[in-house]
Amino acid sequence: MRLSFFLLLSLFLVSCSEEDVNSGYEAIVENDTLSIEIPDYFPEVTYNFEANPPTEKGFELGKKLFYDGKLSSDGVVSCGFCHIQDFSFTHHTHIVSHGVNGALGTRNAQPLQNMIFMNEFTWDGAAESLDAQPIIPITAEVEMNESFSNIIDKLQADEEYPQLFAEAFENGEVNTDNMLKAISQFLVMMVSADSKYDKILKNEGSQFTAEEEAGKVLFDQKCATCHAGVLFTDQSCRNNGLPIDPEYDDEGRSRVTGLQADKYKFKVPSLRNIQITYPYMHDGRFQTLAQVLDHYDSGMVVTENLDPVFQQNENLGISLTEDEKQKIIAFLETLTDDNFLLDDRFAEF
Ligand code: HEC
Ligand code: HEC
Protein backbone atom coordinates (compact mmCIF):
# COMPACT_ATOMS: atom_id res chain seq x y z
CA MET A 1 0.00 0.00 0.00
CA ARG A 2 1.20 3.47 -0.82
CA LEU A 3 1.28 6.06 1.89
CA SER A 4 1.46 9.72 1.19
CA PHE A 5 3.92 11.64 3.26
CA PHE A 6 4.33 15.26 4.16
CA LEU A 7 7.28 17.15 2.87
CA LEU A 8 7.90 19.07 6.02
CA LEU A 9 9.83 22.13 5.10
CA SER A 10 9.96 23.03 8.74
CA LEU A 11 12.29 20.07 9.23
CA PHE A 12 15.21 22.10 8.02
CA LEU A 13 13.93 25.52 8.87
CA VAL A 14 13.04 26.86 12.23
CA SER A 15 10.01 29.05 12.06
CA CYS A 16 11.13 32.60 12.32
CA SER A 17 9.94 35.48 14.35
CA GLU A 18 10.54 38.90 12.99
CA GLU A 19 10.80 42.34 14.31
CA ASP A 20 8.26 44.72 12.93
CA VAL A 21 10.51 47.40 11.47
CA ASN A 22 7.77 49.77 10.49
CA SER A 23 5.97 50.48 13.68
CA GLY A 24 7.63 52.54 16.39
CA TYR A 25 7.67 49.70 18.89
CA GLU A 26 8.97 46.18 18.66
CA ALA A 27 6.22 43.76 17.84
CA ILE A 28 7.19 40.16 17.35
CA VAL A 29 5.30 38.60 14.47
CA GLU A 30 4.99 34.84 14.33
CA ASN A 31 5.68 33.66 10.81
CA ASP A 32 5.45 29.90 10.55
CA THR A 33 6.92 28.02 7.61
CA LEU A 34 4.35 26.13 5.59
CA SER A 35 4.46 22.45 4.69
CA ILE A 36 3.34 20.88 1.44
CA GLU A 37 1.74 17.48 1.11
CA ILE A 38 3.34 15.51 -1.72
CA PRO A 39 2.50 11.90 -2.55
CA ASP A 40 5.50 9.55 -2.47
CA TYR A 41 5.05 8.60 -6.14
CA PHE A 42 5.74 12.18 -7.25
CA PRO A 43 9.18 13.11 -8.58
CA GLU A 44 11.80 15.03 -6.59
CA VAL A 45 11.16 18.72 -6.16
CA THR A 46 13.36 21.00 -8.26
CA TYR A 47 12.48 24.24 -6.47
CA ASN A 48 15.15 25.54 -4.09
CA PHE A 49 13.12 25.71 -0.89
CA GLU A 50 16.14 26.52 1.23
CA ALA A 51 16.67 29.78 -0.64
CA ASN A 52 13.02 30.80 -0.30
CA PRO A 53 11.00 28.80 2.22
CA PRO A 54 7.28 29.56 2.06
CA THR A 55 5.98 31.12 5.26
CA GLU A 56 2.49 32.04 6.31
CA LYS A 57 3.14 35.76 5.90
CA GLY A 58 5.12 35.38 2.68
CA PHE A 59 2.35 33.27 1.16
CA GLU A 60 -0.34 35.79 2.14
CA LEU A 61 1.73 38.64 0.70
CA GLY A 62 2.35 36.64 -2.49
CA LYS A 63 -1.34 35.97 -2.84
CA LYS A 64 -2.22 39.65 -2.45
CA LEU A 65 0.38 40.56 -5.09
CA PHE A 66 -0.87 37.82 -7.43
CA TYR A 67 -4.36 39.28 -7.41
CA ASP A 68 -3.33 42.95 -7.45
CA GLY A 69 -3.67 45.10 -10.57
CA LYS A 70 -0.98 47.42 -9.16
CA LEU A 71 1.55 45.12 -10.79
CA SER A 72 0.41 46.33 -14.21
CA SER A 73 0.49 49.73 -15.90
CA ASP A 74 -3.29 49.99 -16.23
CA GLY A 75 -4.00 48.95 -12.65
CA VAL A 76 -6.32 46.18 -13.82
CA VAL A 77 -4.35 43.26 -15.21
CA SER A 78 -3.16 41.15 -12.29
CA CYS A 79 -1.55 37.72 -12.52
CA GLY A 80 -4.94 36.32 -11.52
CA PHE A 81 -6.58 38.09 -14.46
CA CYS A 82 -4.96 35.59 -16.83
CA HIS A 83 -4.51 32.73 -14.36
CA ILE A 84 -7.95 31.86 -12.99
CA GLN A 85 -8.12 29.22 -10.28
CA ASP A 86 -11.37 27.54 -11.40
CA PHE A 87 -9.61 26.58 -14.63
CA SER A 88 -6.37 25.49 -12.95
CA PHE A 89 -5.15 29.06 -13.31
CA THR A 90 -5.59 29.37 -17.06
CA HIS A 91 -7.35 32.15 -18.97
CA HIS A 92 -10.47 30.48 -20.07
CA THR A 93 -12.31 32.83 -22.31
CA HIS A 94 -9.29 33.82 -24.34
CA ILE A 95 -7.47 31.77 -26.91
CA VAL A 96 -4.32 33.80 -26.59
CA SER A 97 -3.80 35.94 -23.51
CA HIS A 98 -5.16 39.44 -23.13
CA GLY A 99 -3.04 42.03 -21.39
CA VAL A 100 -3.30 45.71 -20.54
CA ASN A 101 -5.65 47.74 -22.75
CA GLY A 102 -6.77 44.50 -24.36
CA ALA A 103 -3.39 43.92 -26.03
CA LEU A 104 -3.19 40.41 -27.41
CA GLY A 105 -0.35 38.04 -26.64
CA THR A 106 0.48 35.14 -28.91
CA ARG A 107 0.19 32.28 -26.48
CA ASN A 108 -2.39 30.54 -24.35
CA ALA A 109 -1.96 31.09 -20.59
CA GLN A 110 -0.53 27.99 -18.96
CA PRO A 111 -2.01 26.33 -15.92
CA LEU A 112 -0.20 27.06 -12.67
CA GLN A 113 0.20 23.75 -10.87
CA ASN A 114 3.01 21.48 -9.67
CA MET A 115 5.63 24.07 -10.61
CA ILE A 116 8.00 22.89 -7.85
CA PHE A 117 8.75 19.81 -9.96
CA MET A 118 9.54 21.62 -13.21
CA ASN A 119 12.96 22.40 -14.65
CA GLU A 120 11.92 25.24 -16.96
CA PHE A 121 8.88 27.44 -17.43
CA THR A 122 6.68 28.77 -20.24
CA TRP A 123 5.78 27.01 -23.48
CA ASP A 124 9.34 27.20 -24.79
CA GLY A 125 11.28 26.93 -21.51
CA ALA A 126 12.37 30.58 -21.66
CA ALA A 127 12.38 30.95 -17.86
CA GLU A 128 14.83 28.78 -15.99
CA SER A 129 13.60 29.60 -12.52
CA LEU A 130 10.19 30.07 -11.01
CA ASP A 131 11.37 33.11 -9.05
CA ALA A 132 12.41 34.85 -12.28
CA GLN A 133 9.41 33.81 -14.38
CA PRO A 134 7.07 36.70 -13.39
CA ILE A 135 9.59 39.19 -14.79
CA ILE A 136 8.33 38.19 -18.24
CA PRO A 137 4.61 38.97 -17.80
CA ILE A 138 5.21 42.04 -15.63
CA THR A 139 7.43 43.77 -18.16
CA ALA A 140 5.89 42.45 -21.40
CA GLU A 141 4.07 45.18 -23.29
CA VAL A 142 1.20 42.86 -24.21
CA GLU A 143 0.85 41.53 -20.68
CA MET A 144 1.30 43.81 -17.66
CA ASN A 145 3.52 46.42 -19.32
CA GLU A 146 4.96 47.78 -16.09
CA SER A 147 8.45 48.48 -14.72
CA PHE A 148 9.74 47.17 -11.43
CA SER A 149 10.68 50.63 -10.19
CA ASN A 150 7.12 51.87 -10.75
CA ILE A 151 5.66 48.86 -8.98
CA ILE A 152 7.98 49.25 -6.01
CA ASP A 153 7.05 52.96 -5.80
CA LYS A 154 3.36 52.03 -5.79
CA LEU A 155 3.85 49.35 -3.15
CA GLN A 156 5.94 51.62 -0.92
CA ALA A 157 3.27 54.30 -1.07
CA ASP A 158 0.52 51.81 -0.28
CA GLU A 159 -1.20 51.74 3.10
CA GLU A 160 -0.80 48.01 3.64
CA TYR A 161 2.18 46.66 1.73
CA PRO A 162 5.10 48.05 3.81
CA GLN A 163 3.69 46.36 6.90
CA LEU A 164 3.13 43.07 5.04
CA PHE A 165 6.67 43.03 3.62
CA ALA A 166 8.01 43.79 7.09
CA GLU A 167 6.16 40.80 8.51
CA ALA A 168 7.10 38.44 5.69
CA PHE A 169 10.84 39.05 5.32
CA GLU A 170 13.69 39.38 7.73
CA ASN A 171 15.07 42.55 6.13
CA GLY A 172 11.50 43.80 5.76
CA GLU A 173 12.23 45.73 2.59
CA VAL A 174 9.71 46.51 -0.11
CA ASN A 175 11.92 45.61 -3.05
CA THR A 176 11.86 43.56 -6.24
CA ASP A 177 13.68 40.60 -4.74
CA ASN A 178 11.20 40.25 -1.88
CA MET A 179 8.25 40.80 -4.19
CA LEU A 180 9.35 37.96 -6.48
CA LYS A 181 10.07 35.74 -3.49
CA ALA A 182 6.60 36.34 -2.07
CA ILE A 183 4.93 35.55 -5.41
CA SER A 184 6.94 32.32 -5.57
CA GLN A 185 5.87 31.42 -2.04
CA PHE A 186 2.30 31.59 -3.26
CA LEU A 187 3.03 29.61 -6.45
CA VAL A 188 5.01 26.79 -4.80
CA MET A 189 2.04 25.81 -2.67
CA MET A 190 0.00 24.99 -5.79
CA VAL A 191 0.38 21.23 -5.84
CA SER A 192 -2.33 19.30 -7.63
CA ALA A 193 -2.12 15.70 -6.43
CA ASP A 194 -5.62 14.68 -5.44
CA SER A 195 -7.48 13.73 -8.62
CA LYS A 196 -9.33 10.44 -9.00
CA TYR A 197 -6.14 9.09 -10.61
CA ASP A 198 -4.24 10.02 -7.44
CA LYS A 199 -6.88 8.59 -5.14
CA ILE A 200 -6.41 5.28 -6.96
CA LEU A 201 -2.62 5.43 -6.64
CA LYS A 202 -3.01 6.29 -2.97
CA ASN A 203 -5.35 3.33 -2.47
CA GLU A 204 -8.08 5.52 -1.13
CA GLY A 205 -10.89 3.29 -2.33
CA SER A 206 -11.47 4.81 -5.79
CA GLN A 207 -11.41 2.64 -8.89
CA PHE A 208 -11.24 3.31 -12.62
CA THR A 209 -14.36 2.45 -14.60
CA ALA A 210 -13.80 -0.10 -17.38
CA GLU A 211 -13.73 2.74 -19.91
CA GLU A 212 -11.17 4.77 -17.94
CA GLU A 213 -9.01 1.69 -17.43
CA ALA A 214 -9.08 0.92 -21.16
CA GLY A 215 -8.22 4.57 -21.81
CA LYS A 216 -5.25 4.35 -19.47
CA VAL A 217 -3.88 1.32 -21.32
CA LEU A 218 -4.21 3.16 -24.64
CA PHE A 219 -2.68 6.30 -23.19
CA ASP A 220 0.32 4.38 -21.84
CA GLN A 221 0.86 2.83 -25.28
CA LYS A 222 0.34 5.89 -27.45
CA CYS A 223 0.94 9.04 -25.45
CA ALA A 224 3.16 8.32 -22.44
CA THR A 225 6.48 8.52 -24.28
CA CYS A 226 6.09 12.30 -24.09
CA HIS A 227 3.32 12.80 -21.53
CA ALA A 228 5.34 10.65 -19.16
CA GLY A 229 5.13 9.78 -15.48
CA VAL A 230 2.69 11.07 -12.91
CA LEU A 231 3.06 14.68 -14.07
CA PHE A 232 2.30 13.56 -17.64
CA THR A 233 5.28 15.36 -19.13
CA ASP A 234 8.89 14.35 -19.71
CA GLN A 235 9.60 18.11 -19.62
CA SER A 236 11.24 18.02 -23.04
CA CYS A 237 10.39 20.33 -25.95
CA ARG A 238 8.98 18.62 -29.04
CA ASN A 239 7.12 19.29 -32.26
CA ASN A 240 3.75 17.51 -32.31
CA GLY A 241 2.91 18.33 -35.92
CA LEU A 242 0.57 21.31 -35.62
CA PRO A 243 0.03 23.12 -38.92
CA ILE A 244 1.89 26.44 -38.73
CA ASP A 245 -0.33 29.42 -38.06
CA PRO A 246 0.92 32.05 -40.52
CA GLU A 247 -0.39 34.88 -38.34
CA TYR A 248 2.01 34.14 -35.47
CA ASP A 249 4.54 31.71 -36.96
CA ASP A 250 5.67 30.98 -33.40
CA GLU A 251 8.97 29.15 -33.65
CA GLY A 252 8.89 27.96 -30.04
CA ARG A 253 12.04 26.63 -28.42
CA SER A 254 14.38 28.00 -31.10
CA ARG A 255 13.49 31.51 -29.90
CA VAL A 256 15.28 30.58 -26.67
CA THR A 257 18.21 28.52 -27.96
CA GLY A 258 18.67 30.04 -31.42
CA LEU A 259 19.01 26.50 -32.78
CA GLN A 260 17.37 25.47 -36.04
CA ALA A 261 16.95 22.02 -34.51
CA ASP A 262 14.58 23.52 -31.91
CA LYS A 263 12.28 25.25 -34.38
CA TYR A 264 8.58 24.55 -33.72
CA LYS A 265 9.31 22.64 -30.54
CA PHE A 266 7.20 23.43 -27.47
CA LYS A 267 7.29 22.06 -23.97
CA VAL A 268 5.31 18.84 -23.57
CA PRO A 269 2.51 20.09 -21.29
CA SER A 270 1.39 18.29 -18.15
CA LEU A 271 -2.08 16.84 -18.65
CA ARG A 272 -3.22 17.25 -15.07
CA ASN A 273 -6.59 19.07 -14.94
CA ILE A 274 -6.60 18.94 -18.75
CA GLN A 275 -10.41 18.59 -18.84
CA ILE A 276 -10.81 22.21 -17.74
CA THR A 277 -7.71 23.98 -19.12
CA TYR A 278 -9.07 24.40 -22.65
CA PRO A 279 -8.41 25.84 -25.17
CA TYR A 280 -5.44 23.62 -25.96
CA MET A 281 -1.91 23.89 -27.39
CA HIS A 282 0.51 26.82 -27.08
CA ASP A 283 -1.78 29.03 -29.15
CA GLY A 284 -5.08 27.69 -27.85
CA ARG A 285 -6.15 26.48 -31.31
CA PHE A 286 -8.28 23.54 -30.13
CA GLN A 287 -11.37 23.96 -27.99
CA THR A 288 -12.00 20.33 -27.05
CA LEU A 289 -10.08 17.18 -26.24
CA ALA A 290 -11.89 15.50 -29.13
CA GLN A 291 -10.27 18.03 -31.48
CA VAL A 292 -6.87 17.33 -29.90
CA LEU A 293 -7.27 13.60 -30.53
CA ASP A 294 -8.44 14.24 -34.09
CA HIS A 295 -5.22 16.18 -34.55
CA TYR A 296 -3.07 13.27 -33.36
CA ASP A 297 -5.08 10.83 -35.48
CA SER A 298 -5.47 12.72 -38.74
CA GLY A 299 -4.59 16.43 -38.49
CA MET A 300 -0.84 16.30 -38.32
CA VAL A 301 1.44 17.89 -40.90
CA VAL A 302 5.18 17.53 -41.46
CA THR A 303 6.99 20.66 -40.36
CA GLU A 304 10.64 21.10 -39.45
CA ASN A 305 11.67 18.85 -36.56
CA LEU A 306 8.41 16.88 -36.36
CA ASP A 307 8.96 14.34 -33.61
CA PRO A 308 10.10 10.91 -34.93
CA VAL A 309 7.47 9.25 -32.71
CA PHE A 310 4.83 10.44 -35.17
CA GLN A 311 6.62 9.10 -38.21
CA GLN A 312 6.87 5.43 -37.28
CA ASN A 313 3.92 4.18 -39.33
CA GLU A 314 2.80 4.77 -42.90
CA ASN A 315 0.19 7.18 -41.58
CA LEU A 316 1.52 10.31 -39.96
CA GLY A 317 0.62 10.65 -36.28
CA ILE A 318 -1.12 8.23 -33.94
CA SER A 319 -3.96 6.18 -35.42
CA LEU A 320 -6.99 6.15 -33.15
CA THR A 321 -10.52 4.84 -33.64
CA GLU A 322 -13.47 6.90 -32.36
CA ASP A 323 -13.90 4.37 -29.57
CA GLU A 324 -10.24 4.68 -28.57
CA LYS A 325 -10.46 8.47 -28.55
CA GLN A 326 -13.44 8.31 -26.21
CA LYS A 327 -11.64 5.96 -23.84
CA ILE A 328 -8.53 8.14 -23.74
CA ILE A 329 -10.68 11.19 -22.94
CA ALA A 330 -12.41 9.24 -20.15
CA PHE A 331 -8.98 8.49 -18.69
CA LEU A 332 -7.81 12.09 -19.04
CA GLU A 333 -10.88 13.23 -17.11
CA THR A 334 -9.67 11.25 -14.08
CA LEU A 335 -6.84 13.81 -13.84
CA THR A 336 -9.20 16.59 -12.74
CA ASP A 337 -8.48 17.60 -9.15
CA ASP A 338 -11.48 19.42 -7.68
CA ASN A 339 -9.82 19.78 -4.31
CA PHE A 340 -7.10 21.83 -5.98
CA LEU A 341 -9.48 23.87 -8.14
CA LEU A 342 -11.62 24.74 -5.12
CA ASP A 343 -8.82 25.07 -2.55
CA ASP A 344 -9.66 28.16 -0.47
CA ARG A 345 -6.01 28.94 0.17
CA PHE A 346 -5.57 30.05 -3.44
CA ALA A 347 -8.93 31.76 -3.95
CA GLU A 348 -9.02 35.48 -4.62
CA PHE A 349 -11.90 36.07 -2.19
C1 HEC B 1 -1.78 38.77 -19.98
C2 HEC B 1 -1.97 37.47 -19.40
C3 HEC B 1 -0.98 37.02 -18.31
C4 HEC B 1 -0.66 37.68 -17.16
C5 HEC B 1 -1.15 39.03 -16.68
C6 HEC B 1 0.24 36.80 -16.44
N1 HEC B 1 0.45 35.65 -17.15
FE1 HEC B 1 1.54 34.05 -16.55
N2 HEC B 1 1.35 33.23 -18.37
C7 HEC B 1 0.63 33.76 -19.41
C8 HEC B 1 0.96 33.09 -20.65
C9 HEC B 1 0.38 33.40 -22.03
C10 HEC B 1 1.93 32.12 -20.33
C11 HEC B 1 2.70 31.25 -21.31
C12 HEC B 1 3.87 32.14 -21.72
C13 HEC B 1 4.76 31.63 -22.81
O1 HEC B 1 4.79 30.45 -23.08
O2 HEC B 1 5.49 32.44 -23.40
C14 HEC B 1 2.15 32.23 -18.88
C15 HEC B 1 3.02 31.42 -18.16
C16 HEC B 1 3.24 31.54 -16.80
C17 HEC B 1 4.05 30.64 -15.99
C18 HEC B 1 4.77 29.40 -16.48
C19 HEC B 1 4.04 28.15 -16.10
C20 HEC B 1 4.74 26.89 -16.52
O3 HEC B 1 4.27 25.82 -16.13
O4 HEC B 1 5.75 26.94 -17.22
C21 HEC B 1 4.04 31.12 -14.71
C22 HEC B 1 4.73 30.53 -13.49
C23 HEC B 1 3.23 32.33 -14.71
N3 HEC B 1 2.75 32.54 -15.98
C24 HEC B 1 3.01 33.12 -13.60
C25 HEC B 1 2.50 34.40 -13.69
C26 HEC B 1 2.57 35.39 -12.64
C27 HEC B 1 3.19 35.16 -11.26
C28 HEC B 1 2.00 36.53 -13.10
C29 HEC B 1 1.88 37.88 -12.42
C30 HEC B 1 3.14 38.50 -12.05
C31 HEC B 1 1.51 36.23 -14.45
N4 HEC B 1 1.86 34.95 -14.78
C32 HEC B 1 0.81 37.13 -15.23
C33 HEC B 1 -0.29 34.80 -19.31
C34 HEC B 1 -0.27 35.75 -18.31
C1 HEC C 1 6.10 13.02 -29.39
C2 HEC C 1 5.58 13.59 -28.18
C3 HEC C 1 4.06 13.57 -27.93
C4 HEC C 1 3.20 12.51 -28.00
C5 HEC C 1 3.50 11.06 -28.37
C6 HEC C 1 1.90 13.00 -27.61
N1 HEC C 1 1.98 14.35 -27.31
FE1 HEC C 1 0.48 15.52 -26.65
N2 HEC C 1 1.68 17.16 -26.77
C7 HEC C 1 3.02 17.14 -27.12
C8 HEC C 1 3.50 18.51 -27.24
C9 HEC C 1 4.92 18.93 -27.59
C10 HEC C 1 2.40 19.35 -26.97
C11 HEC C 1 2.37 20.89 -27.00
C12 HEC C 1 2.38 21.32 -28.45
C13 HEC C 1 2.16 22.79 -28.67
O1 HEC C 1 1.37 23.43 -27.98
O2 HEC C 1 2.78 23.32 -29.60
C14 HEC C 1 1.28 18.46 -26.66
C15 HEC C 1 0.01 18.90 -26.31
C16 HEC C 1 -1.04 18.07 -25.93
C17 HEC C 1 -2.29 18.52 -25.38
C18 HEC C 1 -2.68 19.98 -25.11
C19 HEC C 1 -2.29 20.34 -23.70
C20 HEC C 1 -2.52 21.77 -23.31
O3 HEC C 1 -2.30 22.09 -22.13
O4 HEC C 1 -2.87 22.60 -24.16
C21 HEC C 1 -3.03 17.40 -25.11
C22 HEC C 1 -4.42 17.36 -24.50
C23 HEC C 1 -2.25 16.25 -25.52
N3 HEC C 1 -1.04 16.71 -26.00
C24 HEC C 1 -2.67 14.95 -25.40
C25 HEC C 1 -1.97 13.88 -25.97
C26 HEC C 1 -2.53 12.55 -26.10
C27 HEC C 1 -3.88 12.13 -25.60
C28 HEC C 1 -1.58 11.79 -26.75
C29 HEC C 1 -1.69 10.37 -27.22
C30 HEC C 1 -2.79 10.11 -28.15
C31 HEC C 1 -0.43 12.66 -26.98
N4 HEC C 1 -0.72 13.91 -26.51
C32 HEC C 1 0.75 12.25 -27.56
C33 HEC C 1 3.78 16.02 -27.32
C34 HEC C 1 3.28 14.73 -27.50
Side-chain angles (χ1 to χ4, degrees):
M1 175 166 144
R2 288 181 177 278
L3 287 174
S4 46
F5 69 95
F6 289 85
L7 174 76
L8 280 174
L9 296 160
S10 35
L11 287 180
F12 53 83
L13 294 156
V14 280
S15 75
C16 36
S17 302
E18 280 162 23
E19 213 174 285
D20 184 340
V21 290
N22 273 326
S23 56
Y25 55 93
E26 273 186 25
I28 300 301
V29 179
E30 285 299 326
N31 189 16
D32 291 334
T33 51
L34 300 173
S35 56
I36 308 175
E37 194 178 352
I38 301 170
D40 61 1
Y41 52 83
F42 263 52
E44 293 285 311
V45 297
T46 52
Y47 187 75
N48 185 352
F49 279 105
E50 270 160 278
N52 186 29
T55 62
E56 214 175 293
K57 300 286 180 190
F59 174 89
E60 286 305 326
L61 172 59
K63 177 172 169 178
K64 187 172 162 67
L65 290 164
F66 185 87
Y67 286 114
D68 197 337
K70 280 202 177 67
L71 269 59
S72 67
S73 61
D74 70 356
V76 174
V77 176
S78 65
C79 310
F81 178 86
C82 291
H83 295 287
I84 300 166
Q85 184 184 10
D86 295 358
F87 311 118
S88 204
F89 298 96
T90 54
H91 201 186
H92 217 33
T93 49
H94 297 284
I95 293 177
V96 290
S97 63
H98 258 210
V100 293
N101 305 321
L104 286 181
T106 57
R107 291 187 180 162
N108 185 230
Q110 290 172 291
L112 302 182
Q113 56 188 8
N114 300 331
M115 288 164 284
I116 58 173
F117 308 101
M118 297 298 164
N119 301 320
E120 290 169 333
F121 301 89
T122 77
W123 279 106
D124 51 19
E128 284 176 19
S129 97
L130 184 60
D131 295 355
Q133 203 286 332
I135 296 170
I136 305 174
I138 287 173
T139 54
E141 229 174 286
V142 293
E143 297 190 38
M144 301 167 92
N145 189 29
E146 188 51 297
S147 72
F148 282 99
S149 59
N150 275 348
I151 295 173
I152 297 305
D153 286 348
K154 284 188 262 183
L155 298 182
Q156 277 169 345
D158 187 82
E159 277 180 12
E160 293 171 42
Y161 277 113
Q163 173 77 21
L164 299 175
F165 275 81
E167 289 175 3
F169 293 103
E170 224 153 299
N171 66 20
E173 285 170 29
V174 182
N175 61 26
T176 304
D177 187 43
N178 283 342
M179 179 176 85
L180 293 175
K181 279 186 167 160
I183 292 173
S184 281
Q185 289 186 32
F186 180 58
L187 299 180
V188 297
M189 300 303 291
M190 296 177 181
V191 172
S192 175
D194 207 19
S195 61
K196 178 173 182 182
Y197 169 83
D198 293 293
K199 289 187 165 69
I200 293 167
L201 285 185
K202 292 179 205 165
N203 259 333
E204 290 181 359
S206 295
Q207 277 186 330
F208 287 126
T209 63
E211 190 182 35
E212 291 162 357
E213 180 71 46
K216 182 178 187 304
V217 171
L218 288 163
F219 183 89
D220 287 344
Q221 286 166 359
K222 295 173 188 279
C223 317
T225 28
C226 302
H227 298 284
V230 296
L231 295 179
F232 299 89
T233 170
D234 66 357
Q235 303 206 36
S236 65
C237 288
R238 310 220 195 194
N239 175 351
N240 72 341
L242 298 170
I244 292 159
D245 181 335
E247 194 186 342
Y248 300 127
D249 193 24
D250 191 334
E251 297 187 357
R253 180 71 177 165
S254 63
R255 297 209 314 207
V256 179
T257 63
L259 298 174
Q260 197 70 12
D262 285 335
K263 207 170 164 187
Y264 301 130
K265 290 185 183 174
F266 292 86
K267 189 175 166 189
V268 175
S270 169
L271 300 180
R272 283 184 171 267
N273 294 304
I274 194 71
Q275 184 182 9
I276 43 93
T277 60
Y278 59 88
Y280 302 113
M281 303 299 167
H282 68 271
D283 54 6
R285 67 176 66 196
F286 299 131
Q287 288 295 324
T288 63
L289 287 171
Q291 287 170 354
V292 170
L293 289 176
D294 288 346
H295 162 72
Y296 281 112
D297 175 37
S298 58
M300 222 172 261
V301 295
V302 180
T303 56
E304 254 174 276
N305 304 312
L306 174 65
D307 203 276
V309 169
F310 301 122
Q311 305 181 66
Q312 289 167 342
N313 309 310
E314 13 178 318
N315 296 332
L316 208 55
I318 304 172
S319 294
L320 296 163
T321 64
E322 291 310 308
D323 179 59
E324 287 174 328
K325 289 177 194 169
Q326 221 175 337
K327 286 174 171 148
I328 290 175
I329 292 173
F331 169 65
L332 291 176
E333 288 178 355
T334 70
L335 304 178
T336 305
D337 177 357
D338 288 330
N339 289 336
F340 175 67
L341 304 174
L342 300 171
D343 191 330
D344 280 343
R345 290 176 302 167
F346 307 124
E348 181 168 10
F349 303 110

